Amino acid sequence: MAGFAVDPEEVAGFAGRMLTASQEFGDGMLLAQEHFPAPLIAFGDTLAAEPAHAACQTATEAAMTAAGVLQAVLEGDVDRLYLVAFSIQQTDDDAGGLMGGLLGGG
């Protein structure tokens, strides 16, 4: 049966890149939020202007809520990746100590 190896430093590095991406995503959404919704005047002076503006505002709020949830999920995944990296390293260290003891080492 073939095994596999996982490098805890690679997992931790991936977690770090995911954290950076999550932070950049959040920053980008905050910058975008400054420009939405467009001002009421941008919808013209027809009877549909106010409802269209309100719909745009509602859609913007929903998009920002969804973006916040996505960022929270990404950050949770980052935490779990760091835990995996730590667990792998701990298991490797424990196994090395066990092997050293079995072989008469320290």
Side-chain angles (χ1 to χ4, degrees):
M1 182 167 114
F4 64 92
V6 179
D7 183 350
E9 289 182 22
E10 287 292 325
V11 175
F14 179 65
R17 292 189 300 276
M18 288 289 296
L19 179 59
T20 299
S22 172
Q23 291 167 338
E24 289 174 354
F25 173 77
D27 292 346
M29 290 305 295
L30 286 175
L31 283 174
Q33 186 179 13
E34 294 175 8
H35 303 288
F36 290 98
L40 179 59
I41 195 165
F43 292 86
D45 58 1
T46 67
L47 293 175
E50 256 185 69
H53 180 260
C56 183
Q57 190 166 13
T58 299
T60 299
E61 290 167 3
M64 292 308 298
T65 298
V69 169
L70 177 58
Q71 186 175 13
V73 168
L74 289 172
E75 289 175 358
D77 289 345
V78 166
D79 290 343
R80 285 180 284 280
L81 284 167
Y82 280 126
L83 284 173
V84 167
F86 175 79
S87 295
I88 293 167
Q89 186 63 56
Q90 188 66 44
T91 300
D92 286 351
D93 291 347
D94 291 349
L98 178 62
M99 290 303 294
L102 291 174
L103 299 174

